[in-house]
Amino acid sequence: GAGVSQTPSNKVTEKGKYVELRCDPISGHTALYWYRQSLGQGPEFLIYFQGTGAADDSGLPNDRFFAVRPEGSVSTLKIQRTERGDSAMYLCASSSDGAGELFFGEGSRLTVL
Amino acid sequence: GDSVTQMEGPVTLSEEAFLTINCTYTATGYPSLFWYVQYPGEGLQLLLKATKADDKGSNKGFEATYRKETTSFHLEKGSVQVSDSAVYFCALSQGGTSYGKLTFGQGTILTVHP
């Protein structure tokens, strides 16, 4: 595609439910990043993939959060047993090789009731 | 750990006014510095960057100079337009394999009135 695509754009769920957020990076980009942005704050790094492997997952807040990128393209961020504090905008970005400019998607807004 | 502090907003200006958004950072070594912009309804976009001390990044009339002695990277524009209304984020990265692992400031909302 022309840019980074994230789905869904909005997700409302109930506390305790499981959620998946999808990111489709720019074609050919090997590096993929997930960030979380709370209201009124800057984005915070969650995890970085180079190809299929997670090169750095130091930003994942706890073991309820998990991300995969099985074929080195699309990535899914998975959140188990959601909590109200997980409510945020989840941003995905990709870059051509991990050393160049990041291109961000428009984000998936998650609301946990 | 690394951190970025931006001037508190929001900032409201009239068209053609001079803009400064302050940004200071705390980091080890020699990070790369960035300004990102988020226009309403759009994703974050890189506005400009500087990778070493005294470098000046520039784009679309915006400028910022990497000042290591003051650990600052202030964003300036001589004459703002209504279309510059957006949220501006200062950020840094440690480069190398961590180039895309950005530490962001909290953002500054800019509103420009005609």
Side-chain angles (χ1 to χ4, degrees):
Chain A
V4 177
S5 175
Q6 292 188 245
T7 55
S9 54
N10 277 288
K11 175 69 176 180
V12 180
T13 191
E14 293 180 344
K15 181 175 179 297
K17 299 290 188 183
Y18 170 81
V19 166
E20 288 190 352
L21 305 175
R22 174 189 167 108
C23 173
D24 199 343
I26 292 172
S27 178
H29 279 193
T30 60
L32 185 146
Y33 303 81
W34 283 99
Y35 284 80
R36 179 169 70 173
Q37 185 177 15
S38 300
L39 198 62
Q41 301 297 316
E44 294 179 313
F45 170 81
L46 294 177
I47 186 169
Y48 156 47
F49 286 91
Q50 183 61 255
T52 60
D56 185 340
D57 65 357
S58 61
L60 294 177
N62 52 59
D63 61 5
R64 294 187 299 105
F65 288 75
F66 190 71
V68 295
R69 195 185 185 200
E71 297 178 358
S73 178
V74 170
S75 176
T76 305
L77 179 65
K78 309 181 181 202
I79 310 173
Q80 299 177 321
R81 304 183 304 280
T82 52
E83 300 177 358
R84 293 194 180 87
D86 299 334
S87 296
M89 179 74 84
Y90 289 82
L91 302 175
C92 178
S94 70
S95 73
S96 58
D97 60 5
E101 179 181 348
L102 264 62
F103 294 86
F104 282 85
E106 293 184 23
S108 292
R109 181 170 296 284
L110 174 65
T111 302
V112 182
L113 301 178
Chain B
D2 297 345
S3 66
V4 175
T5 302
Q6 292 181 230
M7 65 183 291
E8 294 191 12
V11 175
T12 302
L13 296 173
S14 297
E15 205 165 25
E16 299 184 2
F18 183 84
L19 168 71
T20 300
I21 301 177
N22 290 337
C23 170
T24 57
Y25 68 91
T26 301
T28 56
Y30 301 91
S32 295
L33 302 175
F34 307 84
W35 277 98
Y36 278 81
V37 59
Q38 188 168 33
Y39 298 104
E42 299 184 16
L44 277 166
Q45 303 173 23
L46 177 64
L47 180 59
L48 54 83
K49 67 180 182 182
T51 58
K52 62 183 187 295
D54 299 326
D55 267 3
K56 178 184 283 187
S58 61
N59 186 25
K60 299 182 180 180
F62 290 89
E63 293 183 339
T65 301
Y66 189 143
R67 300 287 188 200
K68 187 157 180 63
E69 63 276 13
T70 55
T71 61
S72 65
F73 193 54
H74 305 322
L75 182 68
E76 296 183 336
K77 186 174 186 182
S79 176
V80 294
Q81 305 300 312
V82 172
S83 57
D84 294 327
S85 298
V87 185
Y88 292 81
F89 293 92
C90 185
L92 68 81
S93 91
Q94 289 292 354
T97 56
S98 297
Y99 188 82
K101 184 179 178 181
L102 298 167
T103 299
F104 285 89
Q106 71 270 35
T108 301
I109 300 172
L110 171 66
T111 303
V112 180
H113 292 297

